[in-house]
Amino acid sequence: MSYKIIADSSSDLFALDGADYAFVPLTIHCEDKSFTDGPTLDIAAMNAALKASKKPSGTSCPSIGDWIEAFSGAEEVFAVTITGSLSGSYASAVAAADQYCTAHPGRKVCVIDSLSTGPEMVLLIDKIVACKRNGVSFEQTEQAVRDYAKRTHLLFALQSMNNLVKNGRISRAKATIAGVLGIRAIGKASEKGTLEMLKTCRGENKTVAGLYEEMIAHGYTGGRVFIAHCLNPALADKTEQIIRKTFPNAEIAIRPTGGLCSYYAEEGGILVGYESN
Ligand code: X90
């Protein structure tokens, strides 16, 4: 059975060695410019355009057709989306799955709402790859990923939540504190797939300590950690270091955020996806 894994570009993952993987882009809009997310998008240039503009900016999710095109040819499809509570990507993928299976009887599509984004999506994608490598069936892979998702989590530390507030992804009241100079807001992807604020920290050291405390409080015991940062490799490194003090052999990988997560996490922000026990 040929299988394909497709994620929307909020995963920040644009290629995956040794797996049939593809992404469908979200788009960032600023005045008359559109930035299609992908590996060649220049994040610094996008941020500069956003900074220079006083007009509202925004994003849009992949269409049903985008998803169907990405599925094409595969007998088994695993689609992983950004949280359906904040984006239409999941709804598009579900509609696409429906149309694809109607048009091609016998083909199967499993759509996973990550209830999260970025690095937590990558954990789920890796789980699918591991199952398929071990010859696990379509149905059992789906079950394994849904079970695994119960013990994967996402934390974020943001310097600004302007784009999230302006685009209605969190209320201004909840987000107020971020944006004050030197203060970072730490939060998590809630069980419903929304942003839940946890605390604020002043300075980098307190931020990484704050992230680490939250990981431990949520049951982290040395499992995999994926970190994505928006133009802030130093903060990602510091986060890795603090985890390694207690868990020297933990598998930790760092990557830059793509367009969508860069737009919402904004410059300096980081996202931490991790496993609990
Ligand atoms: O459909 C669209 O246009 C995309 C909308 C996406 C809105 C939210 C993106 C959040 C990106 C910010 C911090 C982590 C949030 C955790 C989410 C549950 C990253």
Side-chain angles (χ1 to χ4, degrees), residues 10 26-27 29 58-62 82-83 85-90 114-118 120 154-158 161 163-164 167-169 187-190 192-196 257 260-266 270-271:
S10 73
L26 289 104
T27 309
H29 309 274
T59 58
S60 54
C61 67
I82 186 170
T83 172
S85 307
L86 299 178
S87 168
S89 187
Y90 174 68
S114 70
L115 298 171
S116 181
T117 190
E120 189 175 357
L154 183 80
L155 288 169
F156 54 84
L158 307 179
M161 301 180 76
N163 289 340
L164 283 162
N167 285 277
R169 261 68 190 201
K188 66 171 186 178
S190 74
K192 290 188 196 133
T194 54
L195 278 90
E196 184 176 326
T257 48
L260 191 278
C261 285
S262 294
Y263 176 76
Y264 286 106
E266 298 192 42
I270 68 168
L271 310 181

Side-chain angles (χ1 to χ4, degrees), residues 71-135:
F71 296 169
S72 91
E75 287 161 78
E76 292 186 356
V77 177
F78 297 89
V80 183
T81 77
I82 186 170
T83 172
S85 307
L86 299 178
S87 168
S89 187
Y90 174 68
S92 285
V94 168
D98 208 52
Q99 291 182 21
Y100 188 74
C101 293
T102 307
H104 308 284
R107 295 191 186 173
K108 300 174 188 173
V109 182
C110 153
V111 185
I112 305 274
D113 178 352
S114 70
L115 298 171
S116 181
T117 190
E120 189 175 357
M121 286 170 71
V122 183
L123 288 169
L124 303 181
I125 293 163
D126 268 10
K127 177 57 119 192
I128 299 169
V129 174
C131 286
K132 293 317 289 178
R133 259 187 208 144
N134 291 326

